[in-house]
Amino acid sequence: MRFEDRVVIVTGGGSGLGRILAHSFAAEGAAVVVADIARGRAGAVAEEIFDAGGDSLAQTTDVTDASDVRAMVEATREAFGQVDILVNNAAKATDEDFLSLGGETWDEDVTVTLKGTFLCSQTVLVDMVENGSGVILNISSVNALGYYGNEAYSAAKAGILNLTRSLAVRYGPAGIRVNAIAPGTLRTPAWEQRREKNSDVFERLRRWYPLGRVGEPEDVVGAALFLASDEAAWITGAVLPVDGGLTAGNMLMMEEMIKGQGEQS
Ligand SMILES: NC(=O)c1ccc[n+]([C@@H]2O[C@H](COP(=O)([O-])OP(=O)(O)OC[C@H]3O[C@@H](n4cnc5c(N)ncnc54)[C@H](O)[C@@H]3O)[C@@H](O)[C@H]2O)c1
């Protein structure tokens, strides 16, 4: 078990990708703190982990609130002694046209996504520096790498990539590794509203993915656990797309380019 005796905090752990990551770390021996702004969700996931024989603690935490974040880290220390791994997974994306996007909405998306990552990282780093070890794994997005809508969220996700590199360089000498994953479309509850409006959205999106489908949260687990584990002991400051090939190129564009070539020649 790769994470025996390790303590992991997963923010936004009550749903979607965070829930699956919390389960996966626990299944590999970690004690997992499931931190979520939604109390019921964090509690439900912690209970699922217990039922599966794992060790877990639920925390109601708003990652944008410094005192909540401090309380989350203190509760982790009290329950399990230390924090070895932080997964910054909580984020917020609001679907709104750019020209009518309000400043408040911009602030909310950027605050949850980027400031939350800053606050949680800063708070765990104090202990990690003292211990001389630790891992931070940031969940970014393909939205950090190009334009896929949600301007505020995307700007924040791009900010996370710079923060990943900054912290990797700055705290590498202290024995701390910081990496990021940039997932493509994942079939999670975050898509519920879009699916209500457009029930075949995943079917339509699959055409853009070289691997022929959108992702499941489980598709991110291998990369996340690898980067958090000792197997990645010499990897820091890296950004790993886990995106079914989406950002590798554009197949539909290529097909448009070669259309009709057969008839001409
Ligand atoms: N679903 C996708 O297509 C996709 C694609 C790329 C990246 N991601 C990233 O994966 C991560 C997880 O997304 P998901 O699709 O599982 O979303 P989700 O909506 O299923 O889960 C997000 C969780 O974060 C919690 N949360 C929201 N605001 C919070 C706050 N202020 N403090 C603490 N918790 C808060 C929510 O309560 C929820 O439980 C996010 O970082 C997201 O940007 C998702």
PDB file of all heavy atoms in Angstrom, residues 6-36:
ATOM      1  N   ARG A   6       0.412   7.634   5.680  1.00  0.00           N
ATOM      2  CA  ARG A   6       0.384   8.997   5.132  1.00  0.00           C
ATOM      3  C   ARG A   6      -0.982   9.623   5.433  1.00  0.00           C
ATOM      4  O   ARG A   6      -2.003   8.922   5.492  1.00  0.00           O
ATOM      5  CB  ARG A   6       0.584   9.004   3.610  1.00  0.00           C
ATOM      6  CG  ARG A   6       1.877   8.342   3.154  1.00  0.00           C
ATOM      7  CD  ARG A   6       3.077   9.268   3.341  1.00  0.00           C
ATOM      8  NE  ARG A   6       4.314   8.519   3.235  1.00  0.00           N
ATOM      9  CZ  ARG A   6       5.029   8.387   2.121  1.00  0.00           C
ATOM     10  NH1 ARG A   6       4.638   8.975   1.020  1.00  0.00           N
ATOM     11  NH2 ARG A   6       6.131   7.684   2.115  1.00  0.00           N
ATOM     12  N   VAL A   7      -0.961  10.926   5.575  1.00  0.00           N
ATOM     13  CA  VAL A   7      -2.193  11.667   5.852  1.00  0.00           C
ATOM     14  C   VAL A   7      -2.452  12.620   4.682  1.00  0.00           C
ATOM     15  O   VAL A   7      -1.587  13.410   4.316  1.00  0.00           O
ATOM     16  CB  VAL A   7      -2.057  12.459   7.172  1.00  0.00           C
ATOM     17  CG1 VAL A   7      -3.328  13.233   7.460  1.00  0.00           C
ATOM     18  CG2 VAL A   7      -1.714  11.521   8.319  1.00  0.00           C
ATOM     19  N   VAL A   8      -3.640  12.508   4.118  1.00  0.00           N
ATOM     20  CA  VAL A   8      -3.976  13.255   2.904  1.00  0.00           C
ATOM     21  C   VAL A   8      -5.197  14.131   3.170  1.00  0.00           C
ATOM     22  O   VAL A   8      -6.188  13.664   3.726  1.00  0.00           O
ATOM     23  CB  VAL A   8      -4.331  12.287   1.742  1.00  0.00           C
ATOM     24  CG1 VAL A   8      -4.591  13.057   0.452  1.00  0.00           C
ATOM     25  CG2 VAL A   8      -3.234  11.255   1.532  1.00  0.00           C
ATOM     26  N   ILE A   9      -5.110  15.392   2.758  1.00  0.00           N
ATOM     27  CA  ILE A   9      -6.312  16.248   2.762  1.00  0.00           C
ATOM     28  C   ILE A   9      -6.759  16.411   1.317  1.00  0.00           C
ATOM     29  O   ILE A   9      -5.952  16.758   0.445  1.00  0.00           O
ATOM     30  CB  ILE A   9      -6.013  17.654   3.348  1.00  0.00           C
ATOM     31  CG1 ILE A   9      -5.600  17.562   4.816  1.00  0.00           C
ATOM     32  CG2 ILE A   9      -7.231  18.565   3.197  1.00  0.00           C
ATOM     33  CD1 ILE A   9      -5.205  18.919   5.430  1.00  0.00           C
ATOM     34  N   VAL A  10      -8.043  16.157   1.072  1.00  0.00           N
ATOM     35  CA  VAL A  10      -8.603  16.401  -0.261  1.00  0.00           C
ATOM     36  C   VAL A  10      -9.668  17.480  -0.119  1.00  0.00           C
ATOM     37  O   VAL A  10     -10.705  17.263   0.520  1.00  0.00           O
ATOM     38  CB  VAL A  10      -9.238  15.130  -0.867  1.00  0.00           C
ATOM     39  CG1 VAL A  10      -9.772  15.415  -2.271  1.00  0.00           C
ATOM     40  CG2 VAL A  10      -8.227  13.980  -0.912  1.00  0.00           C
ATOM     41  N   THR A  11      -9.420  18.649  -0.707  1.00  0.00           N
ATOM     42  CA  THR A  11     -10.445  19.702  -0.644  1.00  0.00           C
ATOM     43  C   THR A  11     -11.489  19.445  -1.733  1.00  0.00           C
ATOM     44  O   THR A  11     -11.180  18.842  -2.783  1.00  0.00           O
ATOM     45  CB  THR A  11      -9.848  21.113  -0.822  1.00  0.00           C
ATOM     46  OG1 THR A  11      -9.385  21.267  -2.168  1.00  0.00           O
ATOM     47  CG2 THR A  11      -8.720  21.366   0.162  1.00  0.00           C
ATOM     48  N   GLY A  12     -12.706  19.846  -1.477  1.00  0.00           N
ATOM     49  CA  GLY A  12     -13.788  19.521  -2.413  1.00  0.00           C
ATOM     50  C   GLY A  12     -13.965  18.008  -2.503  1.00  0.00           C
ATOM     51  O   GLY A  12     -14.382  17.480  -3.534  1.00  0.00           O
ATOM     52  N   GLY A  13     -13.655  17.332  -1.408  1.00  0.00           N
ATOM     53  CA  GLY A  13     -13.653  15.856  -1.409  1.00  0.00           C
ATOM     54  C   GLY A  13     -15.034  15.241  -1.332  1.00  0.00           C
ATOM     55  O   GLY A  13     -15.174  14.013  -1.353  1.00  0.00           O
ATOM     56  N   GLY A  14     -16.067  16.065  -1.260  1.00  0.00           N
ATOM     57  CA  GLY A  14     -17.415  15.533  -1.088  1.00  0.00           C
ATOM     58  C   GLY A  14     -18.118  15.147  -2.368  1.00  0.00           C
ATOM     59  O   GLY A  14     -19.241  14.628  -2.334  1.00  0.00           O
ATOM     60  N   SER A  15     -17.497  15.369  -3.514  1.00  0.00           N
ATOM     61  CA  SER A  15     -18.209  15.118  -4.780  1.00  0.00           C
ATOM     62  C   SER A  15     -17.200  14.796  -5.882  1.00  0.00           C
ATOM     63  O   SER A  15     -16.001  15.070  -5.749  1.00  0.00           O
ATOM     64  CB  SER A  15     -19.012  16.369  -5.153  1.00  0.00           C
ATOM     65  OG  SER A  15     -19.600  16.246  -6.431  1.00  0.00           O
ATOM     66  N   GLY A  16     -17.694  14.220  -6.947  1.00  0.00           N
ATOM     67  CA  GLY A  16     -16.953  14.087  -8.201  1.00  0.00           C
ATOM     68  C   GLY A  16     -15.539  13.559  -8.067  1.00  0.00           C
ATOM     69  O   GLY A  16     -15.298  12.526  -7.429  1.00  0.00           O
ATOM     70  N   LEU A  17     -14.596  14.286  -8.645  1.00  0.00           N
ATOM     71  CA  LEU A  17     -13.191  13.852  -8.637  1.00  0.00           C
ATOM     72  C   LEU A  17     -12.637  13.765  -7.217  1.00  0.00           C
ATOM     73  O   LEU A  17     -11.924  12.813  -6.876  1.00  0.00           O
ATOM     74  CB  LEU A  17     -12.341  14.813  -9.485  1.00  0.00           C
ATOM     75  CG  LEU A  17     -10.838  14.523  -9.516  1.00  0.00           C
ATOM     76  CD1 LEU A  17     -10.544  13.125 -10.053  1.00  0.00           C
ATOM     77  CD2 LEU A  17     -10.111  15.580 -10.341  1.00  0.00           C
ATOM     78  N   GLY A  18     -12.941  14.759  -6.379  1.00  0.00           N
ATOM     79  CA  GLY A  18     -12.423  14.754  -5.013  1.00  0.00           C
ATOM     80  C   GLY A  18     -12.856  13.514  -4.255  1.00  0.00           C
ATOM     81  O   GLY A  18     -12.065  12.897  -3.530  1.00  0.00           O
ATOM     82  N   ARG A  19     -14.098  13.116  -4.443  1.00  0.00           N
ATOM     83  CA  ARG A  19     -14.626  11.920  -3.755  1.00  0.00           C
ATOM     84  C   ARG A  19     -13.858  10.673  -4.198  1.00  0.00           C
ATOM     85  O   ARG A  19     -13.453   9.856  -3.374  1.00  0.00           O
ATOM     86  CB  ARG A  19     -16.120  11.794  -4.061  1.00  0.00           C
ATOM     87  CG  ARG A  19     -16.740  10.533  -3.553  1.00  0.00           C
ATOM     88  CD  ARG A  19     -18.244  10.479  -3.777  1.00  0.00           C
ATOM     89  NE  ARG A  19     -18.713   9.135  -3.528  1.00  0.00           N
ATOM     90  CZ  ARG A  19     -18.788   8.200  -4.457  1.00  0.00           C
ATOM     91  NH1 ARG A  19     -18.461   8.465  -5.717  1.00  0.00           N
ATOM     92  NH2 ARG A  19     -19.191   6.990  -4.150  1.00  0.00           N
ATOM     93  N   ILE A  20     -13.666  10.560  -5.489  1.00  0.00           N
ATOM     94  CA  ILE A  20     -12.972   9.376  -6.018  1.00  0.00           C
ATOM     95  C   ILE A  20     -11.512   9.366  -5.548  1.00  0.00           C
ATOM     96  O   ILE A  20     -10.966   8.320  -5.194  1.00  0.00           O
ATOM     97  CB  ILE A  20     -13.046   9.355  -7.569  1.00  0.00           C
ATOM     98  CG1 ILE A  20     -14.502   9.195  -8.032  1.00  0.00           C
ATOM     99  CG2 ILE A  20     -12.167   8.271  -8.163  1.00  0.00           C
ATOM    100  CD1 ILE A  20     -15.171   7.893  -7.601  1.00  0.00           C
ATOM    101  N   LEU A  21     -10.879  10.552  -5.514  1.00  0.00           N
ATOM    102  CA  LEU A  21      -9.484  10.607  -5.043  1.00  0.00           C
ATOM    103  C   LEU A  21      -9.418  10.246  -3.560  1.00  0.00           C
ATOM    104  O   LEU A  21      -8.521   9.519  -3.127  1.00  0.00           O
ATOM    105  CB  LEU A  21      -8.881  11.995  -5.297  1.00  0.00           C
ATOM    106  CG  LEU A  21      -8.644  12.354  -6.771  1.00  0.00           C
ATOM    107  CD1 LEU A  21      -8.062  13.765  -6.893  1.00  0.00           C
ATOM    108  CD2 LEU A  21      -7.715  11.350  -7.459  1.00  0.00           C
ATOM    109  N   ALA A  22     -10.360  10.760  -2.772  1.00  0.00           N
ATOM    110  CA  ALA A  22     -10.377  10.446  -1.338  1.00  0.00           C
ATOM    111  C   ALA A  22     -10.469   8.929  -1.141  1.00  0.00           C
ATOM    112  O   ALA A  22      -9.704   8.332  -0.370  1.00  0.00           O
ATOM    113  CB  ALA A  22     -11.548  11.152  -0.654  1.00  0.00           C
ATOM    114  N   HIS A  23     -11.375   8.285  -1.875  1.00  0.00           N
ATOM    115  CA  HIS A  23     -11.516   6.822  -1.791  1.00  0.00           C
ATOM    116  C   HIS A  23     -10.229   6.119  -2.214  1.00  0.00           C
ATOM    117  O   HIS A  23      -9.814   5.142  -1.590  1.00  0.00           O
ATOM    118  CB  HIS A  23     -12.647   6.354  -2.708  1.00  0.00           C
ATOM    119  CG  HIS A  23     -13.988   6.395  -2.040  1.00  0.00           C
ATOM    120  ND1 HIS A  23     -14.383   5.471  -1.107  1.00  0.00           N
ATOM    121  CD2 HIS A  23     -15.032   7.247  -2.174  1.00  0.00           C
ATOM    122  CE1 HIS A  23     -15.605   5.751  -0.682  1.00  0.00           C
ATOM    123  NE2 HIS A  23     -16.029   6.839  -1.318  1.00  0.00           N
ATOM    124  N   SER A  24      -9.595   6.626  -3.265  1.00  0.00           N
ATOM    125  CA  SER A  24      -8.431   5.931  -3.820  1.00  0.00           C
ATOM    126  C   SER A  24      -7.237   6.021  -2.880  1.00  0.00           C
ATOM    127  O   SER A  24      -6.506   5.045  -2.708  1.00  0.00           O
ATOM    128  CB  SER A  24      -8.066   6.523  -5.187  1.00  0.00           C
ATOM    129  OG  SER A  24      -9.187   6.489  -6.028  1.00  0.00           O
ATOM    130  N   PHE A  25      -7.021   7.199  -2.276  1.00  0.00           N
ATOM    131  CA  PHE A  25      -5.936   7.321  -1.299  1.00  0.00           C
ATOM    132  C   PHE A  25      -6.210   6.399  -0.102  1.00  0.00           C
ATOM    133  O   PHE A  25      -5.301   5.738   0.399  1.00  0.00           O
ATOM    134  CB  PHE A  25      -5.796   8.770  -0.826  1.00  0.00           C
ATOM    135  CG  PHE A  25      -4.983   9.642  -1.750  1.00  0.00           C
ATOM    136  CD1 PHE A  25      -5.584  10.628  -2.520  1.00  0.00           C
ATOM    137  CD2 PHE A  25      -3.603   9.475  -1.844  1.00  0.00           C
ATOM    138  CE1 PHE A  25      -4.829  11.439  -3.363  1.00  0.00           C
ATOM    139  CE2 PHE A  25      -2.838  10.280  -2.680  1.00  0.00           C
ATOM    140  CZ  PHE A  25      -3.446  11.269  -3.446  1.00  0.00           C
ATOM    141  N   ALA A  26      -7.462   6.383   0.350  1.00  0.00           N
ATOM    142  CA  ALA A  26      -7.797   5.548   1.513  1.00  0.00           C
ATOM    143  C   ALA A  26      -7.588   4.073   1.196  1.00  0.00           C
ATOM    144  O   ALA A  26      -7.073   3.317   2.029  1.00  0.00           O
ATOM    145  CB  ALA A  26      -9.249   5.809   1.934  1.00  0.00           C
ATOM    146  N   ALA A  27      -7.946   3.677  -0.020  1.00  0.00           N
ATOM    147  CA  ALA A  27      -7.792   2.272  -0.412  1.00  0.00           C
ATOM    148  C   ALA A  27      -6.319   1.865  -0.457  1.00  0.00           C
ATOM    149  O   ALA A  27      -5.993   0.691  -0.365  1.00  0.00           O
ATOM    150  CB  ALA A  27      -8.436   2.033  -1.776  1.00  0.00           C
ATOM    151  N   GLU A  28      -5.429   2.862  -0.571  1.00  0.00           N
ATOM    152  CA  GLU A  28      -3.984   2.566  -0.577  1.00  0.00           C
ATOM    153  C   GLU A  28      -3.355   2.873   0.774  1.00  0.00           C
ATOM    154  O   GLU A  28      -2.166   3.121   0.890  1.00  0.00           O
ATOM    155  CB  GLU A  28      -3.293   3.354  -1.685  1.00  0.00           C
ATOM    156  CG  GLU A  28      -3.704   2.860  -3.067  1.00  0.00           C
ATOM    157  CD  GLU A  28      -2.514   2.471  -3.933  1.00  0.00           C
ATOM    158  OE1 GLU A  28      -1.481   2.041  -3.374  1.00  0.00           O
ATOM    159  OE2 GLU A  28      -2.645   2.623  -5.148  1.00  0.00           O
ATOM    160  N   GLY A  29      -4.190   2.928   1.814  1.00  0.00           N
ATOM    161  CA  GLY A  29      -3.657   2.974   3.178  1.00  0.00           C
ATOM    162  C   GLY A  29      -3.607   4.327   3.849  1.00  0.00           C
ATOM    163  O   GLY A  29      -3.241   4.425   5.022  1.00  0.00           O
ATOM    164  N   ALA A  30      -3.943   5.416   3.131  1.00  0.00           N
ATOM    165  CA  ALA A  30      -3.846   6.749   3.732  1.00  0.00           C
ATOM    166  C   ALA A  30      -5.006   7.028   4.684  1.00  0.00           C
ATOM    167  O   ALA A  30      -6.108   6.503   4.506  1.00  0.00           O
ATOM    168  CB  ALA A  30      -3.842   7.815   2.634  1.00  0.00           C
ATOM    169  N   ALA A  31      -4.737   7.867   5.684  1.00  0.00           N
ATOM    170  CA  ALA A  31      -5.823   8.478   6.453  1.00  0.00           C
ATOM    171  C   ALA A  31      -6.228   9.724   5.664  1.00  0.00           C
ATOM    172  O   ALA A  31      -5.370  10.539   5.318  1.00  0.00           O
ATOM    173  CB  ALA A  31      -5.332   8.859   7.833  1.00  0.00           C
ATOM    174  N   VAL A  32      -7.522   9.852   5.365  1.00  0.00           N
ATOM    175  CA  VAL A  32      -7.953  10.903   4.442  1.00  0.00           C
ATOM    176  C   VAL A  32      -8.894  11.891   5.125  1.00  0.00           C
ATOM    177  O   VAL A  32      -9.905  11.494   5.714  1.00  0.00           O
ATOM    178  CB  VAL A  32      -8.668  10.294   3.212  1.00  0.00           C
ATOM    179  CG1 VAL A  32      -9.130  11.391   2.269  1.00  0.00           C
ATOM    180  CG2 VAL A  32      -7.734   9.342   2.478  1.00  0.00           C
ATOM    181  N   VAL A  33      -8.540  13.163   5.036  1.00  0.00           N
ATOM    182  CA  VAL A  33      -9.442  14.210   5.500  1.00  0.00           C
ATOM    183  C   VAL A  33     -10.243  14.692   4.291  1.00  0.00           C
ATOM    184  O   VAL A  33      -9.684  15.184   3.311  1.00  0.00           O
ATOM    185  CB  VAL A  33      -8.653  15.370   6.140  1.00  0.00           C
ATOM    186  CG1 VAL A  33      -9.594  16.505   6.525  1.00  0.00           C
ATOM    187  CG2 VAL A  33      -7.884  14.858   7.349  1.00  0.00           C
ATOM    188  N   VAL A  34     -11.558  14.495   4.381  1.00  0.00           N
ATOM    189  CA  VAL A  34     -12.449  14.925   3.303  1.00  0.00           C
ATOM    190  C   VAL A  34     -12.968  16.298   3.689  1.00  0.00           C
ATOM    191  O   VAL A  34     -13.769  16.438   4.613  1.00  0.00           O
ATOM    192  CB  VAL A  34     -13.632  13.944   3.142  1.00  0.00           C
ATOM    193  CG1 VAL A  34     -14.540  14.377   1.998  1.00  0.00           C
ATOM    194  CG2 VAL A  34     -13.129  12.527   2.917  1.00  0.00           C
ATOM    195  N   ALA A  35     -12.453  17.337   3.010  1.00  0.00           N
ATOM    196  CA  ALA A  35     -12.825  18.713   3.353  1.00  0.00           C
ATOM    197  C   ALA A  35     -13.725  19.264   2.256  1.00  0.00           C
ATOM    198  O   ALA A  35     -13.372  19.219   1.081  1.00  0.00           O
ATOM    199  CB  ALA A  35     -11.568  19.566   3.485  1.00  0.00           C
ATOM    200  N   ASP A  36     -14.885  19.739   2.652  1.00  0.00           N
ATOM    201  CA  ASP A  36     -15.813  20.277   1.653  1.00  0.00           C
ATOM    202  C   ASP A  36     -16.665  21.353   2.308  1.00  0.00           C
ATOM    203  O   ASP A  36     -16.972  21.274   3.496  1.00  0.00           O
ATOM    204  CB  ASP A  36     -16.708  19.155   1.102  1.00  0.00           C
ATOM    205  CG  ASP A  36     -17.244  19.480  -0.280  1.00  0.00           C
ATOM    206  OD1 ASP A  36     -18.082  20.417  -0.395  1.00  0.00           O
ATOM    207  OD2 ASP A  36     -16.843  18.815  -1.254  1.00  0.00           O
TER     208      ASP A  36
END
